[in-house]
Amino acid sequence: MGLYDRPYYQDEERSHLPPSLASQSFVIVLIVINVAVFFADFIFGGEGFALRTAMEVTPQTIVKPWLWWQFVTYGFAHGNMNHILFNMIGLFFFGRIVEQRLGKIEFLRFYLVAIILGGIAWSLRANLTDSLAPGVIGASGGVIAVTMLFIFWYPQTEIYLMMVLPVKAWIVGVLMIAGNLFGMGSATTAFDVHLVGIAFASAYYYFHWNLASISPAGLSKLTRPSTRLKLHDPDRQSRQERRDAEEAERILQKIHEHGEGSLTNAERKVLERHSRHLRDRR
């Protein structure tokens, strides 16, 4: 049984996806879309890169509701080969692991919300401070949020900085935060978009958010009265769920470091039991 087939990684909404997407990594789907848009812009954009210009967020986007779709599209447009290559490499290496932890649909929600929040924050700040600033494009807000979430989960994992120097993930996180804080004020890089991505990932991790709960389907579950009578000890159940959640974190780290084959039968049962707890909450 593959890692994606285990109950821990099942997402209830996965069953509502078309078969062609249900078996596909959303990280790969996002990369394909970004690359396709980049080459479409390069081939058909012509002088002035009309496609890229239409997709970017500008200081005026925030005050023009009919342009708010740009808060999504700017995250799929890139300025040059280095720009898209750097973002897609980060999304590929860190996004797949985060997608495994979150599930396909929650990962997509997380990624898109990070992009949207970054675009809103940038447009609002630019509108107030420099209304003539050039527009912003790029997936870096979403990619940095994904990378930061990975760092929170696996702080001791070695990451090859610039693909050469092995350092602990938490060190990369510190460098990301410091670099973006000290880079504020540069006209060529949207550091505020990056910082919003970092802040969103931090809040998501520390407050244990699940964006499914704020979707229309999730809200209906929260407001719909239960028709089932459950007799249980809440305190005991809560303690068991917390123990399972802590143990699941350790087991997932073990899978990341040593592979799925290193798991014992007891560890597999913990993952399956924790999966049931998560599904029952929905």
Side-chain angles (χ1 to χ4, degrees), residues 34-45:
N34 276 274
V35 172
V37 170
F38 178 79
F39 282 106
D41 182 38
F42 178 77
I43 295 171
F44 303 110

Side-chain angles (χ1 to χ4, degrees), residues 77-112:
H78 292 83
N80 54 53
M81 185 63 74
N82 286 338
H83 191 196
I84 190 172
L85 188 63
F86 183 82
N87 280 334
M88 294 304 101
I89 287 176
L91 181 59
F92 179 77
F93 283 109
F94 299 112
R96 292 177 302 158
I97 297 172
V98 173
E99 182 182 10
Q100 288 177 2
R101 288 286 300 267
L102 293 181
K104 295 175 185 294
I105 301 299
E106 181 67 5
F107 170 80
L108 185 62
R109 290 191 192 101
F110 176 84
Y111 180 83
L112 292 178

Side-chain angles (χ1 to χ4, degrees), residues 128-199:
L128 295 174
T129 61
D130 185 5
S131 60
L132 298 179
V136 65
I137 54 175
S140 56
V143 173
I144 283 182
V146 168
T147 303
M148 201 68 196
L149 196 55
F150 171 90
I151 291 170
F152 280 126
W153 281 332
Y154 308 107
Q156 299 302 321
T157 299
E158 280 196 346
I159 296 177
Y160 283 86
L161 194 62
M162 305 303 292
M163 298 188 181
V164 176
L165 181 64
V167 296
K168 297 294 186 182
W170 69 266
I171 296 176
V172 175
V174 171
L175 293 176
M176 281 172 48
I177 295 171
N180 283 286
L181 284 174
F182 289 114
M184 289 296 292
S186 169
T188 58
T189 304
F191 290 105
D192 37 5
V193 174
H194 299 173
L195 288 170
V196 169
I198 291 171

Side-chain angles (χ1 to χ4, degrees), residues 4 6 19 35 49 93 99 106 116 136 154 185 203 229 249 256:
Y4 276 113
R6 294 199 174 278
V35 172
F49 298 97
F93 283 109
E99 182 182 10
E106 181 67 5
I116 291 169
V136 65
Y154 308 107
L229 178 63
E249 291 285 341
H256 178 66

